[in-house]
Amino acid sequence: SSGINAESQSVLSKTLSSDQLVTLTMNLRNTYDLSNVLSVIRNQYIELVSNDSDIRNMILPKQDPGHFIRGVITQLHVFSEYDFESIFHIINEHLIKLRRKLPDGIKIAVVYNDDGNHGISGFIIDAHDNDTDKITMCHCNHSFSAEWPVVIVLCRMSKEIYEKNLISLYLSISRARVKCSVFIYPEYKGCRLSDIRYMKGLLNALEPL
């Protein structure tokens, strides 16, 4: 626990039993489960896109042994169709329940990849405008080098920019250090995740995790 910041250590001590907690001699980035999820996303990206390996490794770093610890399991929520009311309700209820469970001083980061105005994230921002002491909203493009013990990822998937989708998903999930909940949904009404050519392979690879 020596390599984890105070917020992450507090969440770990409240979430894990005493026999699951160990003192670490080095700073480890993600939980084992998060690293597994990130590795799957990275492998899907490599299969779909051929580009310079140095750039790829910089954007989507490989999760090597020693980069992770065993911890809380990542929650993945997948919406096959775009239904705004249903998606918003489920995300909002999840956020409210999670906020109530966390101790004082621990912030939840909601990391999103839509435009923040008319997207799901914009309505989440409006609904929790008075909760800035407990909830931080951050677009994934502005989250480089940021980290939080608890992260909720809102990932809107587009049929056209599959490369950018996978980078956004990887970056957003990698901001979490202890607990992460991921919500994946299609870009607009009438669009289905099954219409996006890489989604079946990605979800099949993530399912065993």
Side-chain angles (χ1 to χ4, degrees), residues 114-138:
D114 61 26
D115 59 18
N117 294 318
H118 304 293
I120 296 288
S121 68
F123 288 87
I124 294 293
I125 291 172
D126 291 341
H128 297 275
D129 188 48
N130 296 323
D131 294 332
T132 54
D133 59 325
K134 296 182 178 179
I135 300 171
T136 296
M137 301 291 300
C138 182

PDB file of all heavy atoms in Angstrom, residues 114-138:
ATOM      1  N   ASP A 114     -17.972  11.874 -25.118  1.00  0.00           N
ATOM      2  CA  ASP A 114     -18.876  12.605 -26.016  1.00  0.00           C
ATOM      3  C   ASP A 114     -18.612  14.103 -25.892  1.00  0.00           C
ATOM      4  O   ASP A 114     -17.669  14.522 -25.210  1.00  0.00           O
ATOM      5  CB  ASP A 114     -20.341  12.249 -25.746  1.00  0.00           C
ATOM      6  CG  ASP A 114     -20.795  12.606 -24.330  1.00  0.00           C
ATOM      7  OD1 ASP A 114     -20.218  13.528 -23.733  1.00  0.00           O
ATOM      8  OD2 ASP A 114     -21.734  11.966 -23.825  1.00  0.00           O
ATOM      9  N   ASP A 115     -19.431  14.935 -26.538  1.00  0.00           N
ATOM     10  CA  ASP A 115     -19.134  16.366 -26.586  1.00  0.00           C
ATOM     11  C   ASP A 115     -19.516  17.100 -25.299  1.00  0.00           C
ATOM     12  O   ASP A 115     -19.209  18.273 -25.132  1.00  0.00           O
ATOM     13  CB  ASP A 115     -19.800  17.034 -27.786  1.00  0.00           C
ATOM     14  CG  ASP A 115     -21.318  16.882 -27.779  1.00  0.00           C
ATOM     15  OD1 ASP A 115     -21.884  16.572 -26.716  1.00  0.00           O
ATOM     16  OD2 ASP A 115     -21.926  17.071 -28.844  1.00  0.00           O
ATOM     17  N   GLY A 116     -20.220  16.412 -24.390  1.00  0.00           N
ATOM     18  CA  GLY A 116     -20.541  17.017 -23.101  1.00  0.00           C
ATOM     19  C   GLY A 116     -21.684  18.013 -23.136  1.00  0.00           C
ATOM     20  O   GLY A 116     -22.078  18.534 -22.099  1.00  0.00           O
ATOM     21  N   ASN A 117     -22.263  18.280 -24.301  1.00  0.00           N
ATOM     22  CA  ASN A 117     -23.375  19.226 -24.398  1.00  0.00           C
ATOM     23  C   ASN A 117     -24.703  18.487 -24.505  1.00  0.00           C
ATOM     24  O   ASN A 117     -25.527  18.524 -23.599  1.00  0.00           O
ATOM     25  CB  ASN A 117     -23.171  20.153 -25.593  1.00  0.00           C
ATOM     26  CG  ASN A 117     -21.968  21.066 -25.413  1.00  0.00           C
ATOM     27  OD1 ASN A 117     -21.742  21.596 -24.335  1.00  0.00           O
ATOM     28  ND2 ASN A 117     -21.183  21.240 -26.467  1.00  0.00           N
ATOM     29  N   HIS A 118     -24.898  17.801 -25.627  1.00  0.00           N
ATOM     30  CA  HIS A 118     -26.155  17.085 -25.842  1.00  0.00           C
ATOM     31  C   HIS A 118     -26.016  15.586 -25.580  1.00  0.00           C
ATOM     32  O   HIS A 118     -26.978  14.845 -25.749  1.00  0.00           O
ATOM     33  CB  HIS A 118     -26.644  17.320 -27.273  1.00  0.00           C
ATOM     34  CG  HIS A 118     -26.798  18.773 -27.613  1.00  0.00           C
ATOM     35  ND1 HIS A 118     -27.745  19.570 -27.012  1.00  0.00           N
ATOM     36  CD2 HIS A 118     -26.104  19.566 -28.462  1.00  0.00           C
ATOM     37  CE1 HIS A 118     -27.643  20.803 -27.491  1.00  0.00           C
ATOM     38  NE2 HIS A 118     -26.650  20.831 -28.364  1.00  0.00           N
ATOM     39  N   GLY A 119     -24.826  15.146 -25.184  1.00  0.00           N
ATOM     40  CA  GLY A 119     -24.611  13.735 -24.917  1.00  0.00           C
ATOM     41  C   GLY A 119     -25.036  13.343 -23.512  1.00  0.00           C
ATOM     42  O   GLY A 119     -25.470  14.179 -22.710  1.00  0.00           O
ATOM     43  N   ILE A 120     -24.887  12.057 -23.206  1.00  0.00           N
ATOM     44  CA  ILE A 120     -25.236  11.538 -21.877  1.00  0.00           C
ATOM     45  C   ILE A 120     -24.472  12.296 -20.796  1.00  0.00           C
ATOM     46  O   ILE A 120     -25.024  12.653 -19.746  1.00  0.00           O
ATOM     47  CB  ILE A 120     -24.914  10.038 -21.789  1.00  0.00           C
ATOM     48  CG1 ILE A 120     -25.786   9.225 -22.771  1.00  0.00           C
ATOM     49  CG2 ILE A 120     -25.107   9.530 -20.365  1.00  0.00           C
ATOM     50  CD1 ILE A 120     -27.226   9.115 -22.394  1.00  0.00           C
ATOM     51  N   SER A 121     -23.207  12.560 -21.036  1.00  0.00           N
ATOM     52  CA  SER A 121     -22.382  13.209 -20.008  1.00  0.00           C
ATOM     53  C   SER A 121     -22.913  14.591 -19.642  1.00  0.00           C
ATOM     54  O   SER A 121     -22.834  15.005 -18.479  1.00  0.00           O
ATOM     55  CB  SER A 121     -20.928  13.319 -20.484  1.00  0.00           C
ATOM     56  OG  SER A 121     -20.818  14.229 -21.563  1.00  0.00           O
ATOM     57  N   GLY A 122     -23.436  15.318 -20.625  1.00  0.00           N
ATOM     58  CA  GLY A 122     -23.969  16.648 -20.351  1.00  0.00           C
ATOM     59  C   GLY A 122     -25.112  16.618 -19.361  1.00  0.00           C
ATOM     60  O   GLY A 122     -25.208  17.479 -18.468  1.00  0.00           O
ATOM     61  N   PHE A 123     -25.976  15.613 -19.475  1.00  0.00           N
ATOM     62  CA  PHE A 123     -27.101  15.489 -18.555  1.00  0.00           C
ATOM     63  C   PHE A 123     -26.637  15.005 -17.176  1.00  0.00           C
ATOM     64  O   PHE A 123     -27.217  15.383 -16.154  1.00  0.00           O
ATOM     65  CB  PHE A 123     -28.154  14.549 -19.139  1.00  0.00           C
ATOM     66  CG  PHE A 123     -28.902  15.150 -20.290  1.00  0.00           C
ATOM     67  CD1 PHE A 123     -28.419  15.054 -21.594  1.00  0.00           C
ATOM     68  CD2 PHE A 123     -30.090  15.836 -20.076  1.00  0.00           C
ATOM     69  CE1 PHE A 123     -29.111  15.617 -22.662  1.00  0.00           C
ATOM     70  CE2 PHE A 123     -30.791  16.409 -21.137  1.00  0.00           C
ATOM     71  CZ  PHE A 123     -30.288  16.307 -22.431  1.00  0.00           C
ATOM     72  N   ILE A 124     -25.585  14.184 -17.133  1.00  0.00           N
ATOM     73  CA  ILE A 124     -25.010  13.782 -15.851  1.00  0.00           C
ATOM     74  C   ILE A 124     -24.403  14.995 -15.155  1.00  0.00           C
ATOM     75  O   ILE A 124     -24.552  15.188 -13.944  1.00  0.00           O
ATOM     76  CB  ILE A 124     -23.942  12.683 -16.052  1.00  0.00           C
ATOM     77  CG1 ILE A 124     -24.585  11.393 -16.577  1.00  0.00           C
ATOM     78  CG2 ILE A 124     -23.191  12.418 -14.750  1.00  0.00           C
ATOM     79  CD1 ILE A 124     -25.508  10.702 -15.604  1.00  0.00           C
ATOM     80  N   ILE A 125     -23.713  15.830 -15.921  1.00  0.00           N
ATOM     81  CA  ILE A 125     -23.124  17.056 -15.374  1.00  0.00           C
ATOM     82  C   ILE A 125     -24.207  17.935 -14.761  1.00  0.00           C
ATOM     83  O   ILE A 125     -24.077  18.440 -13.638  1.00  0.00           O
ATOM     84  CB  ILE A 125     -22.358  17.829 -16.468  1.00  0.00           C
ATOM     85  CG1 ILE A 125     -21.106  17.052 -16.886  1.00  0.00           C
ATOM     86  CG2 ILE A 125     -21.975  19.230 -15.974  1.00  0.00           C
ATOM     87  CD1 ILE A 125     -20.396  17.638 -18.082  1.00  0.00           C
ATOM     88  N   ASP A 126     -25.308  18.134 -15.495  1.00  0.00           N
ATOM     89  CA  ASP A 126     -26.407  18.974 -14.999  1.00  0.00           C
ATOM     90  C   ASP A 126     -27.054  18.365 -13.746  1.00  0.00           C
ATOM     91  O   ASP A 126     -27.408  19.092 -12.806  1.00  0.00           O
ATOM     92  CB  ASP A 126     -27.469  19.150 -16.089  1.00  0.00           C
ATOM     93  CG  ASP A 126     -26.977  20.006 -17.249  1.00  0.00           C
ATOM     94  OD1 ASP A 126     -25.980  20.738 -17.050  1.00  0.00           O
ATOM     95  OD2 ASP A 126     -27.561  19.921 -18.337  1.00  0.00           O
ATOM     96  N   ALA A 127     -27.211  17.051 -13.728  1.00  0.00           N
ATOM     97  CA  ALA A 127     -27.886  16.390 -12.612  1.00  0.00           C
ATOM     98  C   ALA A 127     -27.064  16.460 -11.317  1.00  0.00           C
ATOM     99  O   ALA A 127     -27.621  16.406 -10.220  1.00  0.00           O
ATOM    100  CB  ALA A 127     -28.175  14.930 -12.959  1.00  0.00           C
ATOM    101  N   HIS A 128     -25.742  16.602 -11.448  1.00  0.00           N
ATOM    102  CA  HIS A 128     -24.876  16.601 -10.263  1.00  0.00           C
ATOM    103  C   HIS A 128     -24.076  17.889 -10.163  1.00  0.00           C
ATOM    104  O   HIS A 128     -22.944  17.894  -9.662  1.00  0.00           O
ATOM    105  CB  HIS A 128     -23.954  15.377 -10.301  1.00  0.00           C
ATOM    106  CG  HIS A 128     -24.690  14.076 -10.249  1.00  0.00           C
ATOM    107  ND1 HIS A 128     -25.074  13.486  -9.070  1.00  0.00           N
ATOM    108  CD2 HIS A 128     -25.165  13.279 -11.251  1.00  0.00           C
ATOM    109  CE1 HIS A 128     -25.727  12.356  -9.333  1.00  0.00           C
ATOM    110  NE2 HIS A 128     -25.799  12.211 -10.648  1.00  0.00           N
ATOM    111  N   ASP A 129     -24.686  18.966 -10.595  1.00  0.00           N
ATOM    112  CA  ASP A 129     -24.023  20.269 -10.590  1.00  0.00           C
ATOM    113  C   ASP A 129     -23.642  20.715  -9.174  1.00  0.00           C
ATOM    114  O   ASP A 129     -22.685  21.474  -8.987  1.00  0.00           O
ATOM    115  CB  ASP A 129     -24.940  21.309 -11.244  1.00  0.00           C
ATOM    116  CG  ASP A 129     -24.255  22.640 -11.445  1.00  0.00           C
ATOM    117  OD1 ASP A 129     -23.123  22.635 -11.962  1.00  0.00           O
ATOM    118  OD2 ASP A 129     -24.831  23.682 -11.084  1.00  0.00           O
ATOM    119  N   ASN A 130     -24.389  20.246  -8.175  1.00  0.00           N
ATOM    120  CA  ASN A 130     -24.118  20.646  -6.785  1.00  0.00           C
ATOM    121  C   ASN A 130     -23.259  19.640  -6.025  1.00  0.00           C
ATOM    122  O   ASN A 130     -23.095  19.751  -4.804  1.00  0.00           O
ATOM    123  CB  ASN A 130     -25.442  20.845  -6.037  1.00  0.00           C
ATOM    124  CG  ASN A 130     -26.269  21.981  -6.616  1.00  0.00           C
ATOM    125  OD1 ASN A 130     -25.722  22.997  -7.037  1.00  0.00           O
ATOM    126  ND2 ASN A 130     -27.587  21.803  -6.662  1.00  0.00           N
ATOM    127  N   ASP A 131     -22.732  18.650  -6.738  1.00  0.00           N
ATOM    128  CA  ASP A 131     -21.949  17.591  -6.083  1.00  0.00           C
ATOM    129  C   ASP A 131     -20.468  17.655  -6.443  1.00  0.00           C
ATOM    130  O   ASP A 131     -19.779  16.627  -6.448  1.00  0.00           O
ATOM    131  CB  ASP A 131     -22.491  16.205  -6.476  1.00  0.00           C
ATOM    132  CG  ASP A 131     -23.881  15.960  -5.953  1.00  0.00           C
ATOM    133  OD1 ASP A 131     -24.217  16.544  -4.912  1.00  0.00           O
ATOM    134  OD2 ASP A 131     -24.622  15.188  -6.578  1.00  0.00           O
ATOM    135  N   THR A 132     -19.969  18.849  -6.748  1.00  0.00           N
ATOM    136  CA  THR A 132     -18.580  18.959  -7.203  1.00  0.00           C
ATOM    137  C   THR A 132     -17.564  18.566  -6.136  1.00  0.00           C
ATOM    138  O   THR A 132     -16.408  18.296  -6.451  1.00  0.00           O
ATOM    139  CB  THR A 132     -18.287  20.398  -7.676  1.00  0.00           C
ATOM    140  OG1 THR A 132     -18.640  21.322  -6.630  1.00  0.00           O
ATOM    141  CG2 THR A 132     -19.084  20.728  -8.926  1.00  0.00           C
ATOM    142  N   ASP A 133     -17.998  18.533  -4.874  1.00  0.00           N
ATOM    143  CA  ASP A 133     -17.087  18.103  -3.813  1.00  0.00           C
ATOM    144  C   ASP A 133     -16.922  16.586  -3.793  1.00  0.00           C
ATOM    145  O   ASP A 133     -15.969  16.063  -3.193  1.00  0.00           O
ATOM    146  CB  ASP A 133     -17.584  18.580  -2.449  1.00  0.00           C
ATOM    147  CG  ASP A 133     -18.969  18.043  -2.118  1.00  0.00           C
ATOM    148  OD1 ASP A 133     -19.788  17.914  -3.063  1.00  0.00           O
ATOM    149  OD2 ASP A 133     -19.228  17.767  -0.925  1.00  0.00           O
ATOM    150  N   LYS A 134     -17.838  15.870  -4.465  1.00  0.00           N
ATOM    151  CA  LYS A 134     -17.781  14.410  -4.476  1.00  0.00           C
ATOM    152  C   LYS A 134     -17.598  13.816  -5.871  1.00  0.00           C
ATOM    153  O   LYS A 134     -17.194  12.658  -6.004  1.00  0.00           O
ATOM    154  CB  LYS A 134     -19.062  13.834  -3.861  1.00  0.00           C
ATOM    155  CG  LYS A 134     -19.246  14.182  -2.390  1.00  0.00           C
ATOM    156  CD  LYS A 134     -20.501  13.530  -1.844  1.00  0.00           C
ATOM    157  CE  LYS A 134     -20.653  13.839  -0.349  1.00  0.00           C
ATOM    158  NZ  LYS A 134     -21.889  13.234   0.212  1.00  0.00           N
ATOM    159  N   ILE A 135     -17.925  14.593  -6.910  1.00  0.00           N
ATOM    160  CA  ILE A 135     -17.883  14.082  -8.279  1.00  0.00           C
ATOM    161  C   ILE A 135     -17.099  15.029  -9.176  1.00  0.00           C
ATOM    162  O   ILE A 135     -17.341  16.231  -9.181  1.00  0.00           O
ATOM    163  CB  ILE A 135     -19.300  13.884  -8.843  1.00  0.00           C
ATOM    164  CG1 ILE A 135     -20.090  12.893  -7.993  1.00  0.00           C
ATOM    165  CG2 ILE A 135     -19.256  13.424 -10.292  1.00  0.00           C
ATOM    166  CD1 ILE A 135     -21.562  12.809  -8.349  1.00  0.00           C
ATOM    167  N   THR A 136     -16.166  14.482  -9.928  1.00  0.00           N
ATOM    168  CA  THR A 136     -15.397  15.246 -10.910  1.00  0.00           C
ATOM    169  C   THR A 136     -15.754  14.755 -12.302  1.00  0.00           C
ATOM    170  O   THR A 136     -15.722  13.553 -12.564  1.00  0.00           O
ATOM    171  CB  THR A 136     -13.881  15.064 -10.684  1.00  0.00           C
ATOM    172  OG1 THR A 136     -13.515  15.602  -9.422  1.00  0.00           O
ATOM    173  CG2 THR A 136     -13.088  15.758 -11.773  1.00  0.00           C
ATOM    174  N   MET A 137     -16.110  15.663 -13.190  1.00  0.00           N
ATOM    175  CA  MET A 137     -16.388  15.326 -14.582  1.00  0.00           C
ATOM    176  C   MET A 137     -15.178  15.699 -15.429  1.00  0.00           C
ATOM    177  O   MET A 137     -14.644  16.805 -15.304  1.00  0.00           O
ATOM    178  CB  MET A 137     -17.622  16.077 -15.077  1.00  0.00           C
ATOM    179  CG  MET A 137     -18.886  15.815 -14.305  1.00  0.00           C
ATOM    180  SD  MET A 137     -19.574  14.141 -14.503  1.00  0.00           S
ATOM    181  CE  MET A 137     -19.888  14.071 -16.274  1.00  0.00           C
ATOM    182  N   CYS A 138     -14.740  14.791 -16.289  1.00  0.00           N
ATOM    183  CA  CYS A 138     -13.541  15.055 -17.085  1.00  0.00           C
ATOM    184  C   CYS A 138     -13.639  14.384 -18.454  1.00  0.00           C
ATOM    185  O   CYS A 138     -13.896  13.175 -18.529  1.00  0.00           O
ATOM    186  CB  CYS A 138     -12.304  14.540 -16.339  1.00  0.00           C
ATOM    187  SG  CYS A 138     -10.739  14.846 -17.185  1.00  0.00           S
TER     188      CYS A 138
END
